[in-house]
Each structure stands twice: as C-alpha cells, then as structure tokens.
Amino acid sequence: RGTHARVAAMAAAAAVQRDESSPRARLVAQLGKLETTGPSGRSADLATAFEGLLEVVREAQDALKDLPEVDLVDRLGKQLPRFDEAQRQSLVAACAPLREDAERLVERSTAALNGWLAESDPGAASSSSSSSSPARAHSRSPPELLLEMLQPLDAAAPRLRCCYRHCGNADKRVRFLFALASVIRV
C-alpha cells in the first residue's frame, strides 16, 4: 500500500511538472497529497488536502464535467469516506463526475439485481426447461452469481453512500432500492 501511494505521488508530481495549470494535473496532484497522508493521517494534513481538493474542483468545474478518466473519479470517490459529512457533501455537490458515477453505478446495479431476480425466480425456472435457464448456462448457482454481482457494489459502498442522495434521478434511486430489497427478501 505504501508503494502504491508513493508511485501515485510521483505520478502526480510528474503530471504537475508537465502542465501545472491544467485542472486535471491539479486534481491529480491534490489526490496524490491525499493518498500519501495515509488512512490515519493527521487531521490537519487531511483538512489542508481537502481544502486544496475542493478549491481545484470548484475552480475547474467546467473542465471536470467532461472528465473522461474513470480512474480519477474512482480515486476521488475512494477518498470521500475520509472526510466528515459536511466536507463530503461539499465535494460531491461541486463535482459533477462523482454524481454521474454514482448514478451509473445505481443504474448498472439495478439492472444486475433485476437480472438476477429474473434468473433465480422459482416460478420462471419451473415454466421453462432447465437447459435454457440463464442460471444453468453458467456453472455457478444463483447465490454464487449474486455474490459475484454484489462484489463491485460492496467495493463502491463507501463512495455510493456519500453520493447516493446526490444522484439526480429519483426514479433510478427508487428502482435501485426496490431491486436491492427484493434480492434481500429472496
């Protein structure tokens, strides 16, 4: 973990040297600072890094809207749980790619959960032949498929918890919660 943080910091420093003024380079540099403070970094270092990150995001909102790099959004999302609630809300409100990423995750997860429900429906399995069942096409049982499907959701849980309320489409949020509740009920 320490090596990854050092490599990220070196990459951030190299990006800043190439083009110190670009929003992307400044974001990479701020993320590098956050990543090098470690999970139990001093609160003063974390507060300073947060202020720098929020400043970059606010100043470069237009450039960050079209941020094509999923890696940067993912790195930023992984840092969210380190901040207090007010800081998280400020950052999510200022950074459209975080909100859009949460919305895509909710949408993909809903489709996957509903797909699993359709495949594991006992009524549907008895009405069709077992050889044509999608669950049978895989060599894994429905619980194994569910576990495999929930792993990305579990990995993104801290980020999703911070961004979920800011997911702009209420219908998508309701569909996600309904699909999740249905899976739990099964």
Side-chain angles (χ1 to χ4, degrees):
R1 223 180 237 281
T3 303
H4 177 48
R6 282 190 293 268
V7 169
M10 289 187 325
V16 169
Q17 287 175 350
R18 280 193 301 269
D19 186 7
E20 194 171 302
S21 63
S22 81
R24 183 195 178 283
R26 292 176 51 217
L27 178 60
V28 168
Q30 289 299 324
L31 284 171
K33 287 179 187 177
L34 273 171
E35 290 165 345
T36 57
T37 61
S40 60
R42 292 186 342 202
S43 61
D45 292 341
L46 192 57
T48 302
F50 168 78
E51 289 302 324
L53 182 62
L54 186 59
E55 179 183 331
V56 167
V57 169
R58 283 185 176 155
E59 287 176 4
Q61 249 180 341
D62 291 335
L64 296 177
K65 263 186 229 174
D66 301 322
L67 191 65
E69 298 180 49
V70 174
D71 179 51
L72 286 178
V73 174
D74 189 49
R75 285 174 61 194
L76 180 56
K78 287 178 181 177
Q79 298 303 317
L80 286 175
R82 298 178 66 189
F83 303 122
D84 66 40
E85 184 65 23
Q87 290 173 324
R88 284 192 297 257
Q89 297 308 319
S90 297
L91 196 53
V92 170
C95 190
L98 282 174
R99 295 188 306 273
E100 292 162 2
D101 182 56
E103 190 168 335
R104 281 190 301 273
L105 180 60
V106 164
E107 198 170 1
R108 281 191 315 266
S109 298
T110 301
L113 291 168
N114 285 332
W116 182 85
L117 284 166
E119 289 177 2
S120 64
D121 181 19
S126 64
S127 66
S128 65
S129 68
S130 62
S131 63
S132 66
S133 170
R136 301 285 181 238
H138 304 286
S139 61
R140 296 176 304 273
S141 68
E144 291 172 324
L145 290 171
L146 179 63
L147 181 62
E148 180 181 302
M149 182 189 54
L150 290 175
Q151 285 174 342
L153 189 59
D154 184 46
R159 182 174 73 227
L160 188 57
R161 188 175 20 252
C162 298
C163 299
Y164 176 79
R165 286 178 289 213
H166 293 282
C167 177
N169 191 324
D171 184 56
K172 288 180 184 178
R173 290 192 315 253
V174 169
R175 289 176 187 271
F176 170 72
L177 289 176
F178 188 76
L180 192 57
S182 296
V183 166
I184 291 170
R185 187 169 180 228
V186 170

